[in-house]
């Protein structure tokens, strides 16, 4: 890496603490979730965000987009939502000079830097699948024509864990497309007190733009250049392979799991560990990065058996056992 390029990267990386501080002007607490969303963005992946209503999921994502100078769109998923409502559709237009009619592709809300797919499990599988190509390929295909999505591109899908009537659970193949599965918890007593004080008056904090979209693309490029030792890659490989009951050395896994994580989980863990290093202004991965991110990366890639569900065993418990 040339000196000039290295200086640029260091300048941009130094803005990340300021970015978190700026988001903190609006969002009280939830620092872990904010970090994980930023890690997904740095790694070029997407998030599934789970939390009960009222935890400021929408506000968190919108605030982050504002501080990053990125376009933000929110799509409310409903049972009658169609794929065209997400990716767009063709409309018939007329050329006023020639009088000829032609079809023009009218872009949908997915053409934004940050897309919030709110309550994704409330819409049928046909519409859920409309996100798949966009998430994996970074483009939309309509009538045989490819339309590139903006860079950077982040989909954050939310779902409510307590209300399952009238929902369509995401299939395992689609769950695997999400880089991180983030769980939001209730705020602490002090944090909730701050929310009550700061959000019920007339004051509205003004957000500054900390990073441009191009600087975020530069950071995504830098993330892939972060150093990770062969020993840590070996540890990640062993951890992921240990989630598979047919070959796992863990009796806990063999007892409670039906199947484990695939190679994509290992790729995600390497990439996200690099992203966490960048977020913490480091240029090398440490074991703490892997241990912290094992939960949001593996929890939706491990399938428990019926006995485990009956005994209220969770995938987080399986990961905890493996990390011991």
């Amino acid at each position: 890496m040339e000196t000039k390029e290295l200086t640029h990267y260091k300048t941009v990386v130094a803005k990340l603490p300021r970015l978190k501080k700026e988001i903190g002007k609006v969002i009280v607490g939830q620092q872990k979730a904010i970090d994980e969303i930023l890690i997904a963005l740095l790694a070029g992946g997407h998030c599934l965000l789970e939390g009960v209503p009222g935890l400021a999921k929408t506000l968190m994502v919108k605030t982050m987009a504002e501080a990053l100078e990125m376009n933000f769109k929110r799509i409310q998923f409903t049972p009658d939502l169609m794929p065209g409502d997400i990716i767009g559709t063709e409309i018939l237009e007329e050329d006023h000079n020639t009088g000829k009619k032609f079809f023009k592709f009218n872009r949908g809300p997915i053409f934004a830097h940050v897309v919030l797919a709110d309550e994704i499990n409330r819409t049928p599988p046909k519409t859920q699948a409309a996100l798949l190509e966009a998430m994996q390929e970074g483009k939309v295909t309509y009538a045989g024509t490819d339309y590139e999505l903006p860079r950077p591109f982040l989909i954050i899908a939310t779902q409510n864990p307590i209300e399952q009537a009238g929902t369509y659970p995401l299939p395992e193949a689609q769950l695997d497309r999400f880089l991180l599965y983030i769980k939001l918890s209730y705020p602490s007593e002090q944090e909730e007190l701050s929310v009550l004080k700061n959000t019920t008056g007339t004051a509205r904090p003004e957000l500054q733009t900390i990073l441009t979209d191009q600087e975020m693309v530069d950071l995504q490029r830098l993330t892939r250049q972060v150093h990770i030792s062969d020993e840590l890659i070996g540890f990640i490989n062993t951890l992921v392979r240990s989630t598979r009951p047919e070959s796992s050395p863990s009796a806990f896994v063999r007892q409670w799991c039906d199947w484990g994580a695939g190679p994509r989980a290992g790729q995600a863990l390497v990439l996200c560990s690099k992203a966490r290093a960048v977020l913490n202004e480091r240029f090398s991965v440490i074991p703490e990065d892997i241990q912290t991110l094992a939960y949001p990366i593996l929890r939706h890639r491990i399938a428990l058996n019926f006995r485990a569900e009956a005994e209220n065993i969770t995938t987080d418990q399986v990961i905890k056992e493996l990390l011991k």
Side-chain angles (χ1 to χ4, degrees), residues 11 15-16 24 45 84 95 115 134 138 142 150 181 194 207 235 245 259 275 302 309 313-314 316:
T11 303
K15 292 182 179 182
L16 289 170
D95 189 322
V115 178
Y142 192 94
Y181 182 5
S194 297
L207 287 178
F235 172 71
W259 46 265
I302 297 172
E309 292 175 13
I313 301 293
T314 65
D316 279 17

Side-chain angles (χ1 to χ4, degrees), residues 14 19 23 37 74 106 117 123 128 134 141 157 179 190 221 238 254 261 263 276 297 324:
L19 173 65
I23 295 171
I37 291 173
R74 176 181 175 271
N106 192 26
T123 203
Q128 291 173 357
T141 303
L179 195 66
Q190 196 57 47
R221 195 178 300 117
T238 301
R254 294 196 303 271
R276 188 176 186 271
I297 286 172
K324 285 180 181 178

Side-chain angles (χ1 to χ4, degrees), residues 3-70:
T3 308
K4 187 177 178 182
E5 188 182 16
L6 184 61
T7 304
H8 169 68
Y9 280 139
K10 285 183 176 179
T11 303
V12 178
V13 168
K15 292 182 179 182
L16 289 170
R18 286 174 53 204
L19 173 65
K20 292 199 283 185
K21 189 177 179 181
E22 199 67 20
I23 295 171
K25 286 182 181 179
V26 177
I27 305 299
V28 178
Q30 303 293 7
Q31 194 55 60
K32 184 181 175 187
I34 291 169
D35 283 355
E36 288 174 352
I37 291 173
L38 289 173
I39 285 167
L41 182 57
L42 287 168
H46 309 281
C47 308
L48 184 61
L49 195 59
E50 184 178 276
V52 299
L55 293 182
K57 296 186 288 291
T58 303
L59 183 61
M60 183 189 301
V61 179
K62 187 178 180 181
T63 301
M64 186 195 72
E66 283 183 34
L68 286 170
E69 197 185 52
M70 296 189 342

